[in-house]
Amino acid sequence: MRHILILLAFICLGSAAASAQKGATAQTGYCLMRVFDVNKFAAQGAGFIGSKIIITYEDGNQETIPLEAYSEKTEPANLKIIVDNINKLRKKGYILMSANSTGDQGNIVTDYVLLKQGF
């Protein structure tokens, strides 16, 4: 009888852990924050877009945040906006997984890949 109770306890614990893991999986997903840091002259050329942040969430929803065209005067304010948005995502439960930048003179694109933590 005692062995049956122990076995039932393990089965109950195992199913509770599995359902908790399923719930955590349902709440995770990746988010991409892409930052276009473009000076106003490059933004006028073919194939370039203006300075902005585009955030794409795991559910497909997107958010666009405007930035000023790159210059020595505007870059400090733009950096504050970028950091503010990374911190907002952290408060929503995301952690930064990677960041990389590409581009050429006058047009830098930085991608921040974030993972939403399961709770």
Side-chain angles (χ1 to χ4, degrees), residues 33-37 75 79 82 98-104 107-113:
M33 184 173 110
R34 180 166 286 171
V35 178
F36 297 92
D37 204 0
E75 193 60 9
L79 290 174
I82 293 166
S98 70
N100 65 355
S101 295
T102 59
D104 54 24
N107 179 34
I108 303 295
V109 178
T110 305
D111 286 334
Y112 299 90
V113 178

Tab-separated table of all heavy atoms in Angstrom, residues 33-37 75 79 82 98-104 107-113:
chain	number	residue	atom	x	y	z
A	33	MET	N	14.381	43.546	-32.217
A	33	MET	CA	14.393	45.001	-32.226
A	33	MET	C	15.458	45.427	-33.236
A	33	MET	O	16.642	45.183	-33.034
A	33	MET	CB	14.721	45.568	-30.842
A	33	MET	CG	14.641	47.082	-30.792
A	33	MET	SD	14.832	47.732	-29.122
A	33	MET	CE	16.430	48.494	-29.257
A	34	ARG	N	15.010	46.020	-34.344
A	34	ARG	CA	15.931	46.457	-35.397
A	34	ARG	C	16.029	47.977	-35.347
A	34	ARG	O	15.025	48.683	-35.376
A	34	ARG	CB	15.443	46.000	-36.758
A	34	ARG	CG	16.371	46.425	-37.891
A	34	ARG	CD	16.057	45.695	-39.155
A	34	ARG	NE	16.540	44.321	-39.005
A	34	ARG	CZ	16.272	43.350	-39.870
A	34	ARG	NH1	15.527	43.587	-40.922
A	34	ARG	NH2	16.749	42.137	-39.671
A	35	VAL	N	17.270	48.470	-35.289
A	35	VAL	CA	17.530	49.908	-35.213
A	35	VAL	C	18.197	50.357	-36.509
A	35	VAL	O	19.251	49.835	-36.883
A	35	VAL	CB	18.435	50.251	-34.011
A	35	VAL	CG1	18.734	51.742	-33.967
A	35	VAL	CG2	17.802	49.787	-32.703
A	36	PHE	N	17.559	51.297	-37.191
A	36	PHE	CA	18.127	51.902	-38.395
A	36	PHE	C	18.717	53.245	-37.970
A	36	PHE	O	17.978	54.157	-37.603
A	36	PHE	CB	17.046	52.128	-39.458
A	36	PHE	CG	16.426	50.858	-39.948
A	36	PHE	CD1	15.285	50.352	-39.348
A	36	PHE	CD2	16.974	50.165	-41.016
A	36	PHE	CE1	14.694	49.187	-39.799
A	36	PHE	CE2	16.397	48.998	-41.475
A	36	PHE	CZ	15.259	48.505	-40.867
A	37	ASP	N	20.033	53.361	-38.014
A	37	ASP	CA	20.731	54.576	-37.613
A	37	ASP	C	21.334	55.173	-38.885
A	37	ASP	O	22.396	54.757	-39.344
A	37	ASP	CB	21.815	54.239	-36.587
A	37	ASP	CG	22.176	55.403	-35.707
A	37	ASP	OD1	21.592	56.491	-35.870
A	37	ASP	OD2	23.054	55.230	-34.846
A	75	GLU	N	22.843	61.956	-31.897
A	75	GLU	CA	23.179	60.591	-31.476
A	75	GLU	C	23.001	60.351	-29.974
A	75	GLU	O	22.484	59.299	-29.587
A	75	GLU	CB	24.596	60.219	-31.922
A	75	GLU	CG	24.894	58.752	-31.802
A	75	GLU	CD	23.977	57.843	-32.640
A	75	GLU	OE1	23.190	58.346	-33.457
A	75	GLU	OE2	24.055	56.631	-32.454
A	79	LEU	N	20.595	57.346	-28.668
A	79	LEU	CA	21.091	56.261	-27.809
A	79	LEU	C	20.227	56.094	-26.562
A	79	LEU	O	19.957	54.975	-26.127
A	79	LEU	CB	22.551	56.509	-27.420
A	79	LEU	CG	23.559	56.362	-28.562
A	79	LEU	CD1	24.943	56.780	-28.107
A	79	LEU	CD2	23.570	54.946	-29.105
A	82	ILE	N	17.122	54.208	-27.614
A	82	ILE	CA	17.428	52.788	-27.826
A	82	ILE	C	17.530	52.057	-26.493
A	82	ILE	O	16.912	51.005	-26.298
A	82	ILE	CB	18.724	52.629	-28.649
A	82	ILE	CG1	18.501	53.151	-30.079
A	82	ILE	CG2	19.197	51.173	-28.666
A	82	ILE	CD1	19.787	53.355	-30.873
A	98	SER	N	21.320	38.301	-28.333
A	98	SER	CA	22.429	38.683	-29.210
A	98	SER	C	22.157	40.056	-29.809
A	98	SER	O	21.025	40.530	-29.841
A	98	SER	CB	22.629	37.658	-30.335
A	98	SER	OG	21.554	37.715	-31.253
A	99	ALA	N	23.225	40.654	-30.285
A	99	ALA	CA	23.132	41.936	-30.987
A	99	ALA	C	24.222	41.951	-32.048
A	99	ALA	O	25.336	41.473	-31.815
A	99	ALA	CB	23.313	43.094	-30.022
A	100	ASN	N	23.881	42.465	-33.223
A	100	ASN	CA	24.892	42.622	-34.264
A	100	ASN	C	24.545	43.816	-35.130
A	100	ASN	O	23.401	44.219	-35.211
A	100	ASN	CB	25.054	41.348	-35.103
A	100	ASN	CG	23.813	41.010	-35.893
A	100	ASN	OD1	22.783	41.651	-35.763
A	100	ASN	ND2	23.901	39.993	-36.719
A	101	SER	N	25.567	44.378	-35.742
A	101	SER	CA	25.395	45.549	-36.598
A	101	SER	C	25.987	45.281	-37.972
A	101	SER	O	26.995	44.594	-38.100
A	101	SER	CB	26.091	46.767	-35.995
A	101	SER	OG	25.481	47.142	-34.788
A	102	THR	N	25.328	45.836	-38.978
A	102	THR	CA	25.830	45.776	-40.341
A	102	THR	C	25.584	47.129	-40.985
A	102	THR	O	24.843	47.955	-40.453
A	102	THR	CB	25.096	44.694	-41.176
A	102	THR	OG1	23.702	44.997	-41.197
A	102	THR	CG2	25.301	43.321	-40.615
A	103	GLY	N	26.162	47.334	-42.136
A	103	GLY	CA	25.912	48.562	-42.859
A	103	GLY	C	27.182	49.144	-43.423
A	103	GLY	O	28.229	48.503	-43.449
A	104	ASP	N	27.044	50.362	-43.882
A	104	ASP	CA	28.191	51.080	-44.419
A	104	ASP	C	28.108	52.527	-43.960
A	104	ASP	O	27.241	52.877	-43.172
A	104	ASP	CB	28.262	50.954	-45.939
A	104	ASP	CG	26.965	51.371	-46.624
A	104	ASP	OD1	26.203	52.148	-46.022
A	104	ASP	OD2	26.723	50.924	-47.751
A	107	ASN	N	24.841	54.476	-42.876
A	107	ASN	CA	23.676	53.597	-42.729
A	107	ASN	C	24.067	52.368	-41.909
A	107	ASN	O	24.673	51.439	-42.436
A	107	ASN	CB	23.160	53.175	-44.105
A	107	ASN	CG	21.972	52.250	-44.012
A	107	ASN	OD1	21.156	52.380	-43.107
A	107	ASN	ND2	21.870	51.314	-44.925
A	108	ILE	N	23.731	52.377	-40.636
A	108	ILE	CA	24.034	51.251	-39.751
A	108	ILE	C	22.712	50.631	-39.298
A	108	ILE	O	21.801	51.336	-38.850
A	108	ILE	CB	24.840	51.696	-38.502
A	108	ILE	CG1	26.128	52.407	-38.910
A	108	ILE	CG2	25.127	50.509	-37.600
A	108	ILE	CD1	27.121	51.539	-39.642
A	109	VAL	N	22.620	49.309	-39.415
A	109	VAL	CA	21.442	48.576	-38.959
A	109	VAL	C	21.896	47.632	-37.849
A	109	VAL	O	22.807	46.827	-38.056
A	109	VAL	CB	20.788	47.776	-40.106
A	109	VAL	CG1	19.589	46.993	-39.585
A	109	VAL	CG2	20.377	48.696	-41.238
A	110	THR	N	21.272	47.748	-36.685
A	110	THR	CA	21.610	46.895	-35.551
A	110	THR	C	20.397	46.074	-35.177
A	110	THR	O	19.296	46.619	-35.020
A	110	THR	CB	22.066	47.738	-34.336
A	110	THR	OG1	23.152	48.578	-34.745
A	110	THR	CG2	22.509	46.850	-33.187
A	111	ASP	N	20.591	44.768	-35.051
A	111	ASP	CA	19.527	43.854	-34.637
A	111	ASP	C	19.793	43.386	-33.213
A	111	ASP	O	20.907	42.947	-32.896
A	111	ASP	CB	19.460	42.616	-35.548
A	111	ASP	CG	18.871	42.930	-36.906
A	111	ASP	OD1	18.086	43.898	-37.006
A	111	ASP	OD2	19.160	42.189	-37.855
A	112	TYR	N	18.769	43.483	-32.388
A	112	TYR	CA	18.805	42.953	-31.025
A	112	TYR	C	17.782	41.815	-30.967
A	112	TYR	O	16.596	42.052	-31.201
A	112	TYR	CB	18.417	44.035	-30.008
A	112	TYR	CG	19.329	45.224	-29.995
A	112	TYR	CD1	19.089	46.335	-30.812
A	112	TYR	CD2	20.446	45.260	-29.166
A	112	TYR	CE1	19.929	47.437	-30.801
A	112	TYR	CE2	21.297	46.365	-29.151
A	112	TYR	CZ	21.029	47.448	-29.967
A	112	TYR	OH	21.859	48.526	-29.954
A	113	VAL	N	18.251	40.621	-30.700
A	113	VAL	CA	17.361	39.465	-30.574
A	113	VAL	C	17.157	39.220	-29.083
A	113	VAL	O	18.120	39.063	-28.330
A	113	VAL	CB	17.948	38.208	-31.257
A	113	VAL	CG1	17.027	37.005	-31.067
A	113	VAL	CG2	18.182	38.473	-32.748
